[in-house]
Amino acid sequence: MAIMSVRAATGPSSDPLDRRAARRSVRAEKAQLERWRRLLRARLDLAVAAFAPPEPLRSMTWDVLPEAGDDLPSTRELSAAVTSVTPLDPVELMTRLRHLDRRLASYGAELDAALEASTERMLRQLATREGQHGGR
């Protein structure tokens, strides 16, 4: 998308509609820039993961949250989703990736709830100690 000159649209004799159009044009270009940057960062994440893959999920939380993540995708499923080189139907691929993302989001919500509950317990314990020791 070509950007109209912002300088030309900001002078004292400029029509307000021209200024709005220039602003819309710059905002649209900024949105495209941000999208390209997200895509490049995602590609960089994939390149790094090829050499240093993430730890399997639930390897650190199974004893703390034994019932969490019952629908969590396996490491094999996740790896296949991000390293797939076989040409898939694009709609099928997007559907599969969105489904995996929903499953991960559900697990993330369980982790957030566990963190919140843990923080509340710690704060209650601190408050109880403070009350018992007279604030010392």
Side-chain angles (χ1 to χ4, degrees):
M1 165 183 284
I3 300 177
M4 90 172 44
S5 171
V6 177
R7 196 172 303 132
T10 58
S13 63
S14 294
D15 181 1
L17 293 176
D18 289 342
R19 286 185 296 221
R20 286 188 195 125
R23 186 170 177 354
R24 268 195 308 275
S25 179
V26 171
R27 286 181 63 182
E29 187 71 7
K30 175 116 170 113
Q32 290 305 310
L33 169 69
E34 289 170 0
R35 184 168 185 220
W36 277 111
R37 291 194 66 212
R38 277 193 317 271
L39 289 169
L40 287 173
R41 286 189 303 262
R43 185 64 183 101
L44 178 61
D45 283 347
L46 290 172
V48 169
F51 295 103
E55 294 287 326
L57 292 172
R58 287 192 52 112
S59 61
M60 295 175 264
T61 60
W62 66 269
D63 55 337
V64 178
L65 299 169
E67 70 283 346
D70 289 336
D71 188 34
L72 191 61
S74 69
T75 301
R76 179 176 280 130
E77 281 180 281
L78 293 171
S79 293
V82 298
T83 60
S84 178
V85 291
T86 29
L88 293 173
D89 171 38
V91 175
E92 179 185 333
L93 175 62
M94 287 185 278
T95 301
R96 191 174 98 205
L97 293 174
R98 285 187 178 123
H99 178 70
L100 286 170
D101 185 54
R102 279 193 298 274
R103 291 166 64 192
L104 291 174
S106 175
Y107 182 57
E110 292 179 65
L111 293 176
D112 289 342
L115 282 170
E116 184 69 28
S118 175
T119 301
E120 286 178 21
R121 283 191 300 273
M122 286 174 43
L123 290 174
R124 266 190 251 112
Q125 188 178 26
L126 273 171
T128 302
R129 275 193 212 151
E130 289 288 319
Q132 291 173 349
H133 298 298
R136 287 185 239 162

